[in-house]
Amino acid sequence: MGNRREDFDKAFESGQLTELLGLNSSEARKLRVLHLTILANALFGEFSAALWHYRWAQDHKIKFNPAEEATVHFALGVGHTRISEYGKAREHFARNFKFRRAEPRAKFYWYQGLGFYRYFTGAYAHSVKYARLALAQATQNQFAYGQLISEELLAHGLSEAGEIRLGQKHMQRSLKRARVLDHKSLRQSFRLLLLLNEARFGLNWDAIPQLEKALRRLHPQDTYSRNAVKLELANQWVLRGQAARGFAVLDEACDSVYASQNRRQIAQLNFRLAFLTWLRGRRDEALHLLKSAELHLHKEVDAALWRRMRALSERISQNESETLHKHARKTKFFGEDRFADLYDQIGQKDPKTLAVILENKLHFFLYPYFNLRFDQKALIFDLLPRGVIVIDHGDIVVVERGFSRVNRRVLEALSVSHRSKQELIESVWEYDYEPSRHDALIYTSISKIRQLLGAAGAWIEVDEKGYRLQSGVRLKTREVLSNERSDRTARLTARLPTNPSLNFRQLRILSVFDNDDKDVLGVDEVMRDFDISRATATRDLSELTAMGLLHRLGRARATKYTRGTGTS
């Protein structure tokens, strides 16, 4: 019997729990591993099964030795905490108080329980203190599994206390211990926790593919871990300007989160849904979701999360614009939380900060960088050579190329006021408006802009009076520090020849040279832009060349055209 118990002890420490989880209460008692069966079910199996074993032990008046009893109360305390039954959890952890001067194994569970409960109630400094005491007891007793879980708790506490990199270091050590013990489930758990922290604090800019891979690998019954990954994955999509994808991830997670009965995860789900709903402009629905989230929180235990919810509720009620991490910074040193660091740097409008945002596609940070409200729509120019960034309620689309200076000037004109076709021609192209010649030019330009903007193309509205940009759309630009070309002014003053025979395509071709800083143009580009045949494109370019408005370079299919200075 003794050898069988030692086998179960070793199996538990190495994570081989199949036999323990499959034992009924009577069998576990005969093998003297009932305490381990309760612990295994509380940590890795079904908590309801752990409660069943415990009630069976009470009904049969089973007596445990100090180490076994401390193990049972620790297991039940952890289980009740995970489903947010904090009062019951506190009772079980408190029952281990009598073991504070007992043998090292029992004393370990007293310290570990204190540290675990302090962590969940947000008292991270105290959690770190008790985790270190538990680690010392486990080391003294050569209790390998105790060393494993106490160092994990220490890592969590340090990370939440703001010492993130030190916390990650201890988590790496926990992972090494799990490898030594060959504890498969904890190895997987620690790798996941490392990844979640790297994603949460911006230590890994490319976390999304890894989170999605981790989600695919998790066991379907490991709902707590799967829900944690989905909540973080949604946050990562939002930070990258993909609010719709973040919303879809949260929507998929709803059933699983509610079924888990973990009140904190339910609150976090509703908190994130409220924020995204606010981004979409549904203010009342967002406030309702926040109220629902608060109902699932214990104000004392979940004080930090409750304060964040109250702050968001006030911002929505007062329609204030705040940054997402405004109330979330916990770190003491620069470099610990790179997302929070990025927000601090944004206030300085450093070009290097903008480069980090664009390079890593952290497009959500464009909101604070350009002082945009979360409920605003915007178009941002100058961040890409011939591109524009479209911001629409948390969904941010980057149009990387094809957006000309003429396109931009059209939008700038429409953002100022309602414009007739005549006003557009005169303000954007500086031509004397002639409907037969210029209407097609306007139609082509507006169509091209709408095509490039995608869904945001609907922001350009048209009526019998002309065109306008939808109310509330903001145009933002980056400060351009480079000097313009020395001949820019001269080129702009000679844009349009007075020859009335030019068609709208030829006017458009000239505007490409004059307004887009284009040096050369080929027949293929004209064919593509206007969807015309090679013969028509060649004829348009040849006529412009004959007037002296373009110069021909090269021969045959290698022919290119550059701007001339003629005014015939």
Side-chain angles (χ1 to χ4, degrees):
M1 185 72 71
N3 291 336
R4 189 74 190 279
R5 175 174 174 171
E6 289 179 5
D7 291 341
F8 274 110
D9 280 335
K10 292 178 181 178
F12 178 81
E13 291 197 355
S14 64
Q16 299 172 22
L17 308 175
T18 305
E19 287 191 61
L20 274 173
L21 295 175
L23 293 174
N24 63 41
S25 302
S26 178
E27 291 171 335
R29 173 56 183 162
K30 289 178 182 177
L31 294 169
R32 297 173 59 194
V33 292
L34 183 56
H35 63 296
L36 291 180
T37 303
I38 293 173
L39 182 60
N41 276 283
L43 299 185
F44 306 106
E46 296 290 337
F47 183 52
S48 58
L51 290 173
W52 175 268
H53 288 303
Y54 178 63
R55 288 169 187 147
W56 183 91
Q58 287 183 309
D59 292 342
H60 290 76
K61 298 181 180 180
I62 304 298
K63 291 185 178 180
F64 296 105
N65 65 39
E68 292 171 347
E69 185 178 348
T71 303
V72 168
H73 288 304
F74 168 76
L76 296 176
V78 170
H80 282 298
T81 301
R82 284 182 170 177
I83 59 173
S84 306
E85 295 179 348
Y86 299 114
K88 293 180 180 179
R90 192 162 49 242
E91 289 177 11
H92 282 289
F93 288 134
R95 290 185 185 184
N96 281 342
F97 174 74
K98 60 187 176 184
F99 300 128
R100 67 191 186 281
R101 294 187 179 88
E103 61 174 280
R105 182 74 61 96
K107 191 185 294 187
F108 163 80
Y109 281 116
W110 159 243
Y111 286 136
Q112 184 71 7
L114 276 177
F116 183 86
Y117 188 74
R118 295 296 188 190
Y119 174 80
F120 262 82
T121 55
Y124 302 121
H126 287 90
S127 176
V128 168
K129 170 186 173 182
Y130 290 118
R132 284 184 168 133
L133 289 171
L135 181 58
Q137 288 297 321
T139 303
Q140 178 183 338
N141 192 36
Q142 296 183 341
F143 179 25
Y145 178 74
Q147 290 176 302
L148 189 67
I149 63 173
S150 58
E151 187 144 32
E152 177 205 4
L153 178 61
L154 178 59
H156 281 301
L158 287 168
S159 295
E160 293 297 335
E163 298 184 65
I164 296 161
R165 294 191 183 276
L166 182 57
Q168 291 290 86
K169 180 179 178 181
H170 279 283
M171 189 64 75
Q172 290 281 7
R173 290 177 58 178
S174 295
L175 178 58
K176 289 180 180 178
R177 292 181 189 276
R179 286 173 179 154
V180 171
L181 290 175
D182 196 25
H183 200 301
K184 181 179 179 180
S185 59
L186 282 181
R187 285 205 315 271
Q188 184 183 46
S189 175
F190 293 159
R191 281 196 296 266
L192 181 61
L193 290 168
L194 282 166
L195 175 59
L196 286 172
N197 274 347
E198 287 175 354
R200 178 184 170 196
F201 296 111
L203 303 179
N204 178 1
W205 294 134
D206 194 32
I208 287 179
Q210 296 177 44
L211 287 170
E212 291 177 330
K213 182 178 180 180
L215 187 60
R216 290 192 297 269
R217 288 185 170 182
L218 283 170
H219 194 281
Q221 292 183 344
D222 189 0
T223 56
Y224 182 85
S225 297
R226 291 180 65 84
N227 292 338
V229 173
K230 288 179 181 179
L231 289 170
E232 184 55 44
L233 187 58
N235 188 51
Q236 293 295 317
W237 279 122
V238 172
L239 290 172
R240 282 153 183 82
Q242 300 291 319
R245 297 189 71 167
F247 205 100
V249 172
L250 293 178
D251 189 56
E252 179 189 341
C254 279
D255 290 343
S256 176
V257 170
Y258 274 95
S260 73
Q261 301 181 24
N262 185 290
R263 296 171 68 88
R264 181 173 290 182
Q265 283 192 339
I266 293 173
Q268 290 173 331
L269 171 70
N270 281 285
F271 177 59
R272 284 167 168 77
L273 284 172
F275 181 77
L276 292 179
T277 303
W278 179 40
L279 279 181
R280 292 185 170 189
R282 303 202 295 266
R283 175 177 169 274
D284 292 340
E285 186 180 342
L287 290 172
H288 176 75
L289 284 166
L290 282 173
K291 288 180 180 178
S292 176
E294 289 179 22
L295 291 176
H296 289 89
L297 288 180
H298 189 294
K299 291 183 181 179
E300 295 179 4
V301 174
D302 300 304
L305 183 56
W306 185 82
R307 285 194 297 270
R308 290 185 66 197
M309 289 185 181
R310 293 305 304 164
L312 179 59
S313 180
E314 290 174 8
R315 295 203 301 270
I316 295 174
S317 299
Q318 299 171 15
N319 204 25
E320 294 180 354
S321 177
E322 292 276 1
T323 54
L324 190 61
H325 282 256
K326 176 79 174 179
H327 305 279
R329 177 182 263 287
K330 302 172 183 176
T331 54
K332 300 177 181 178
F333 309 107
F334 187 86
E336 295 279 356
D337 182 346
R338 289 169 70 191
F339 285 137
D341 294 341
L342 202 53
Y343 270 114
D344 290 345
Q345 293 170 307
I346 280 172
Q348 304 170 16
K349 296 293 186 289
D350 186 347
K352 293 181 180 178
T353 304
L354 185 58
V356 171
I357 293 172
L358 297 176
E359 180 181 349
N360 296 288
K361 299 182 179 180
L362 301 170
H363 296 137
F364 190 85
F365 290 88
L366 294 173
Y367 277 102
Y369 192 90
F370 287 96
N371 297 316
L372 290 168
R373 301 175 67 90
F374 288 149
D375 58 351
Q376 282 182 334
K377 301 176 181 179
L379 298 169
I380 304 178
F381 299 102
D382 296 332
L383 301 186
L384 302 166
R386 287 172 59 84
V388 64
I389 294 180
V390 182
I391 295 183
D392 184 8
H393 295 106
D395 283 308
I396 300 173
V397 178
V398 179
V399 181
E400 295 185 349
R401 60 179 61 87
F403 214 85
S404 68
R405 289 181 180 270
V406 168
N407 298 148
R408 171 175 168 175
R409 290 180 60 174
V410 168
L411 290 172
E412 288 173 342
L414 297 180
S415 69
V416 174
S417 64
H418 193 287
R419 297 282 182 158
S420 66
K421 288 185 283 186
Q422 179 175 346
E423 289 171 331
L424 273 179
I425 287 293
E426 292 176 352
S427 63
V428 175
W429 286 274
E430 299 181 6
Y431 300 162
D432 292 328
Y433 177 61
E434 294 182 24
S436 61
R437 297 171 56 205
H438 297 141
D439 282 0
L441 177 60
I442 293 175
Y443 300 151
T444 303
S445 296
I446 294 294
S447 176
K448 182 67 173 179
I449 293 170
R450 282 176 168 164
Q451 179 185 354
L452 289 168
L453 294 181
W459 295 355
I460 301 176
E461 300 175 339
V462 61
D463 56 27
E464 67 279 0
K465 296 180 181 179
Y467 298 88
R468 65 183 175 189
L469 196 60
Q470 191 179 97
S471 176
V473 178
R474 300 287 182 268
L475 267 60
K476 296 285 185 176
T477 61
R478 178 183 180 182
E479 291 186 3
V480 182
L481 302 178
S482 59
N483 294 323
E484 296 288 346
R485 294 186 178 184
S486 59
D487 63 340
R488 179 65 174 163
T489 302
R491 290 174 61 186
L492 289 176
T493 59
R495 276 199 292 265
L496 179 66
T498 57
N499 192 325
S501 64
L502 294 180
N503 61 43
F504 80 93
R505 293 188 304 274
Q506 291 169 325
L507 293 172
R508 180 74 171 155
I509 289 168
L510 294 178
S511 72
V512 168
F513 284 106
D514 294 333
N515 296 328
D516 297 354
D517 285 339
K518 192 79 172 178
D519 293 323
V520 293
L521 194 65
V523 174
D524 290 338
E525 293 175 80
V526 175
M527 291 171 58
R528 182 181 65 249
D529 289 347
F530 294 100
D531 192 22
I532 56 178
S533 67
R534 178 174 294 276
T536 301
T538 302
R539 183 171 61 251
D540 284 343
L541 292 167
S542 296
E543 289 175 358
L544 291 171
T545 302
M547 296 177 191
L549 300 173
L550 297 182
H551 288 312
R552 183 184 288 112
L553 304 173
R555 301 176 65 181
R557 288 186 176 269
T559 300
K560 298 290 182 182
Y561 296 84
T562 187
R563 188 67 164 97
T565 57
T567 57
S568 59

